[in-house]
Amino acid sequence: MCEANAYFLKENEKELIMESVDIIEPDKEGHIRIINIFGDQKIIKGHIHSVSLVDHNVFIKQNI
């Protein structure tokens, strides 16, 4: 399985946004659309902070 988990990164803590993420699409307005392997999706206001390919984690910081 090559899916990842997406987390909000808040200071030194992480909060799970979605498991089994298949697609992450940023747009020009500062939103990120996250879609998992089941077709569920979330649109959040934020930007990708970092990606751990080995651990299959994507860390997103919210735009305020």
Side-chain angles (χ1 to χ4, degrees):
M1 300 294 240
C2 296
E3 304 88 31
N5 293 328
Y7 295 92
F8 280 127
L9 191 59
K10 297 179 178 180
E11 297 187 18
N12 292 329
E13 296 182 14
K14 62 183 183 180
E15 176 184 323
L16 182 64
I17 301 169
M18 183 178 284
E19 294 179 313
S20 302
V21 173
D22 182 37
I23 299 170
I24 298 176
E25 297 176 329
D27 68 15
K28 294 178 183 175
E29 298 175 4
H31 297 95
I32 298 174
R33 184 167 74 133
I34 302 170
I35 305 168
N36 69 12
I37 60 172
F38 307 108
D40 298 328
Q41 72 172 343
K42 291 184 178 181
I43 297 174
I44 57 174
K45 190 170 185 175
H47 62 276
I48 296 172
H49 176 268
S50 60
V51 177
S52 173
L53 297 175
V54 172
D55 295 329
H56 304 272
N57 291 325
V58 178
F59 297 101
I60 296 169
K61 280 200 167 181
Q62 285 184 298
N63 294 342
I64 298 174

